[in-house]
Amino acid sequence: EAGSWSLDYQLHAGGLRLLRASMVIDLSADTYAVRLDARLDGLPAIFSDWWATTVSDGSVAGQGILPRHHRVQRIHRGKVRTTDMAFRPDGTIGVGFDPPRDPVRIAPSELEGAIDPLSALVAMIVELGAGGECSGTLKAFDGRRRFDLIFAEGPRATLKAGPNSPYEGPARRCRMRQVPVAGAWEWEAEEQDSAEAPRERVADLWLAAPIEGGPVVPVRAEGDVWIGRFLLHLVDASRNPVPAGQ
């Protein structure tokens, strides 16, 4: 359904409240735009200045997603880094970094049909909104890393509200695998303080429409990261007013 929605999430990992994130999704019959703002929360925020803002926009063609632009700006250890990606009509992807970084060599065939990670989320929302299943493979690229997102529908469940998870009701369960394909994964070594090879990551998603008439979105997720088990909960959802004439 066309409209604009705001979603607020909280993430716990390693037994700590770690991160809070706010997402705004704008959908029309033929376009989309999404913005995600995330920053550390709780005790970790005392010791680190990490935050990130990610935006993506593009068009909706049938049940497919065609990204136009993707931008990530983040700060870590006092340094701001920006990645800009332009998805050109000829199918190629332009990538720029500020400050400049060495380009990553990935075969053009690996990038053909790839979309950015935030657009991959929109693709899943559009597919579910059209009555489809949470299944299949999406080719994703974030400017330095090419990976596959492989989805598999699981059994449906009825979620109960908890102290950190206010959503209660029916939900679809979906397993998502992030499988490294190509590119530079040095940030994992930097944040894990190790030089191990990139590995597959797995997360379980619970998907539902928290707003009547709104899109099906993640209301809960859990999986493993380098500091332990993470739990992501939707803590608030609202419909945004749409300006007159739209």
Side-chain angles (χ1 to χ4, degrees), residues 126-182:
V126 170
E127 174 67 18
L128 295 176
E133 292 188 345
C134 183
S135 62
T137 300
L138 293 174
K139 296 173 65 174
F141 178 55
D142 66 2
R144 293 187 66 80
R145 305 177 302 158
R146 233 299 274 135
F147 49 92
D148 286 338
L149 295 174
I150 303 174
F151 299 92
E153 186 93 18
R156 304 203 176 198
T158 299
L159 300 181
K160 294 183 178 181
N164 300 310
S165 182
Y167 176 79
E168 186 170 62
R172 304 172 67 164
R173 184 171 181 171
C174 180
R175 173 154 288 188
M176 181 184 73
R177 295 164 51 210
Q178 182 195 59
V179 181
V181 173

Side-chain angles (χ1 to χ4, degrees), residues 6-242:
S6 291
L7 307 169
D8 294 329
Y9 292 92
Q10 194 170 80
L11 184 143
H12 293 72
L16 298 173
R17 190 172 82 248
L18 181 66
L19 182 143
R20 53 191 168 96
S22 298
M23 182 184 299
V24 176
I25 301 174
D26 296 316
L27 288 174
S28 73
D30 54 9
T31 64
Y32 72 91
V34 58
R35 176 187 174 109
L36 175 66
D37 292 290
R39 63 178 58 247
L40 289 179
D41 194 20
L43 185 63
I46 299 175
F47 302 100
S48 176
D49 58 354
W50 185 92
W51 59 258
T53 295
T54 308
V55 294
S56 295
D57 65 79
S59 60
V60 180
Q63 294 184 14
I65 290 296
L66 297 175
R68 185 184 68 86
H69 177 244
H70 176 72
R71 187 174 195 263
V72 181
Q73 185 176 59
R74 69 169 184 158
I75 186 170
H76 181 56
R77 297 173 183 171
K79 297 179 180 179
V80 177
R81 291 181 177 178
T82 302
T83 302
D84 271 296
M85 298 170 55
F87 293 81
R88 304 184 182 111
D90 64 1
T92 59
I93 305 173
V95 181
F97 301 105
D98 184 18
R101 307 184 70 178
D102 292 336
V104 178
R105 295 184 179 180
I106 299 177
S109 59
E110 292 288 3
L111 294 176
E112 184 178 350
I115 62 177
D116 64 87
L118 208 51
S119 292
L121 172 63
V122 176
M124 181 181 68
I125 291 172
V126 170
E127 174 67 18
L128 295 176
E133 292 188 345
C134 183
S135 62
T137 300
L138 293 174
K139 296 173 65 174
F141 178 55
D142 66 2
R144 293 187 66 80
R145 305 177 302 158
R146 233 299 274 135
F147 49 92
D148 286 338
L149 295 174
I150 303 174
F151 299 92
E153 186 93 18
R156 304 203 176 198
T158 299
L159 300 181
K160 294 183 178 181
N164 300 310
S165 182
Y167 176 79
E168 186 170 62
R172 304 172 67 164
R173 184 171 181 171
C174 180
R175 173 154 288 188
M176 181 184 73
R177 295 164 51 210
Q178 182 195 59
V179 181
V181 173
W185 296 72
E186 75 282 353
W187 72 273
E188 286 200 345
E190 174 186 322
E191 297 192 1
Q192 295 182 65
D193 195 26
S194 73
E196 63 184 49
R199 63 183 183 275
E200 178 180 319
R201 297 187 183 278
V202 178
D204 287 310
L205 313 176
W206 284 263
L207 307 158
I211 305 171
E212 185 176 356
V216 175
V217 298
V219 295
R220 188 177 299 180
E222 62 179 83
D224 292 313
V225 291
W226 63 277
I227 63 171
R229 192 78 175 166
F230 80 82
L231 295 171
L232 177 74
H233 302 281
L234 177 72
V235 296
D236 192 32
S238 60
R239 185 190 299 267
N240 300 322
V242 178

